[in-house]
Amino acid sequence: MNLKVLKQQYGITAKNVTSLRSNVAVIETEHNQKSIIKRIRNSKWSNWLNKHRFYNELRIYKTINAHQFKHLNAPALIEAGDRYMILQFVEKDPENKTKTKEFLHAYYEMQTLKVPTDFWFDFKNQLVRGFLYKGVIVPLLTLTRHLKITTVARMIFLFLSMQWKSKKLKNGYWLHGDLTMQNIYHNKEDGKLYFLDFENLFYTRKWPLIEVVQKCYWLKCGGYGFHVDTKVLYQYLNITKSGSPELGQLSLKDQFRFSILMNSISNIAIAKSKIKRDTYIMLLNIILNKKSFDNWYRSNVVEQ
């Protein structure tokens, strides 16, 4: 993205533009004010999907900008067109480390966003962002390079059986889809915690705790094993018990198993490190076997 493209395609005049990705850039005005421009990615094969992700993110920014929250902050939506949006530039403060409770309070407000209902859009979003895509399509398209086809089949069977057996909650809860340090950080200007990049957001009525559960285990330094600490999960359940008591009635064992399944699929597919991929394959093999998972859950979660 360059100054000429900004002027010709979007009618935007700027002093300087710095591309961050093919569809994201920082633009700077003559008065040295910075903002972010995001546009729909141009792709011959996935143009429809890119449009969907763009409009999914746009509706979330509109929803957050239209309300006041005690903990949740997102970049202000300055301008939006058919194929682009301009957002407030939020500079990361590397010295301000996110506190667990601070994150959890903001995350709960994100999970319970009241996004205007659009049945057809939400239906498509569940197909291309939701669990069916992540639990069936992704394994079939990507994991056969790293796993035996029988293992992939067992993964899909476990996914479908857990989806079928789990009961729906009364309310839907949003999942961010990309909770990384690049998407959640403090603004250097005002010190507040900001959430960014909502293009992968989708809702669930069955697995609302899986992203919090993913904060409860992490790779050991050097790989080959995991540290497990469930304090974050119980803190979250304590925060949500008055507003969403139904979360406290969920089977934490099932939430753990499903969370590990989804996280393993993602990490085995994208991991660049062989050690990291092999460690997630090891964890995957544990959850695919009910007895092995029961033993793992008892020793790592119940007996903590």
Side-chain angles (χ1 to χ4, degrees), residues 21 92 178-185 194-197:
R21 298 194 296 271
K92 183 176 183 178
D178 193 15
L179 285 180
T180 66
M181 293 173 63
Q182 288 74 36
N183 293 333
I184 302 171
Y185 55 80
Y194 278 69
F195 280 50
L196 299 87
D197 284 353

Side-chain angles (χ1 to χ4, degrees), residues 51-280:
K51 283 182 181 179
H52 179 87
R53 294 173 70 180
F54 174 85
Y55 289 118
N56 189 41
E57 182 168 31
L58 180 59
R59 69 173 179 158
I60 301 303
Y61 278 120
K62 285 181 176 179
T63 300
I64 296 175
N65 276 238
H67 298 84
Q68 289 257 340
F69 297 94
K70 187 176 180 180
H71 305 281
L72 178 63
N73 299 284
L77 180 63
I78 299 169
E79 182 182 329
D82 289 338
R83 299 185 63 84
Y84 75 96
M85 67 178 93
I86 299 178
L87 301 163
Q88 169 195 1
F89 176 73
V90 178
E91 184 177 359
K92 183 176 183 178
D93 183 355
E95 303 300 321
N96 198 341
K97 304 300 181 184
T98 303
K99 298 178 178 64
T100 301
K101 276 195 174 182
E102 180 184 29
F103 160 74
L104 293 175
H105 278 289
Y107 182 74
Y108 179 58
E109 290 182 342
M110 186 216 75
Q111 279 215 292
T112 52
L113 279 174
K114 304 301 181 186
V115 181
T117 302
D118 184 331
F119 175 81
W120 179 236
F121 189 93
D122 285 328
F123 175 74
K124 290 187 293 183
N125 199 46
Q126 293 300 97
L127 288 180
V128 299
R129 297 289 95 199
F131 288 126
L132 184 63
Y133 173 77
K134 298 173 186 288
V136 177
I137 306 302
V138 171
L140 287 174
L141 292 180
T142 64
L143 296 193
T144 50
R145 291 175 291 175
H146 309 295
L147 301 169
K148 294 179 180 178
I149 190 65
T150 52
T151 303
V152 173
R154 289 173 65 203
M155 290 171 62
I156 294 173
F157 178 78
L158 176 61
F159 165 80
L160 292 174
S161 62
M162 292 192 75
Q163 278 284 83
W164 177 260
K165 292 176 183 177
S166 62
K167 294 181 180 180
K168 283 187 178 181
L169 296 171
K170 180 181 177 182
N171 300 298
Y173 297 86
W174 294 97
L175 297 175
H176 186 278
D178 193 15
L179 285 180
T180 66
M181 293 173 63
Q182 288 74 36
N183 293 333
I184 302 171
Y185 55 80
H186 287 88
N187 185 357
K188 198 170 186 179
E189 183 177 335
D190 60 20
K192 295 179 180 178
L193 183 66
Y194 278 69
F195 280 50
L196 299 87
D197 284 353
F198 298 103
E199 61 185 22
N200 293 314
L201 208 81
F202 67 101
Y203 74 88
T204 177
R205 292 181 184 272
K206 294 187 175 185
W207 310 106
L209 298 179
I210 69 164
E211 289 186 326
V212 177
V213 168
Q214 286 171 10
K215 300 291 183 184
C216 295
Y217 61 94
W218 58 95
L219 278 172
K220 290 181 178 178
C221 183
Y224 293 122
F226 290 88
H227 293 288
V228 181
D229 190 336
T230 57
K231 291 190 186 75
V232 174
L233 176 59
Y234 290 108
Q235 279 183 297
Y236 190 63
L237 291 174
N238 188 54
I239 287 169
T240 62
K241 66 181 179 182
S242 59
S244 302
E246 62 181 350
L247 295 181
Q249 299 169 11
L250 290 165
S251 165
L252 298 187
K253 188 176 182 180
D254 286 345
Q255 295 289 317
F256 254 92
R257 194 177 189 187
F258 196 82
S259 175
I260 293 172
L261 176 63
M262 292 294 102
N263 204 20
S264 297
I265 290 172
S266 174
N267 279 283
I268 294 170
I270 65 174
K272 295 180 180 178
S273 162
K274 185 178 185 300
I275 292 177
K276 183 176 182 180
R277 181 181 295 114
D278 288 347
T279 307
Y280 272 99

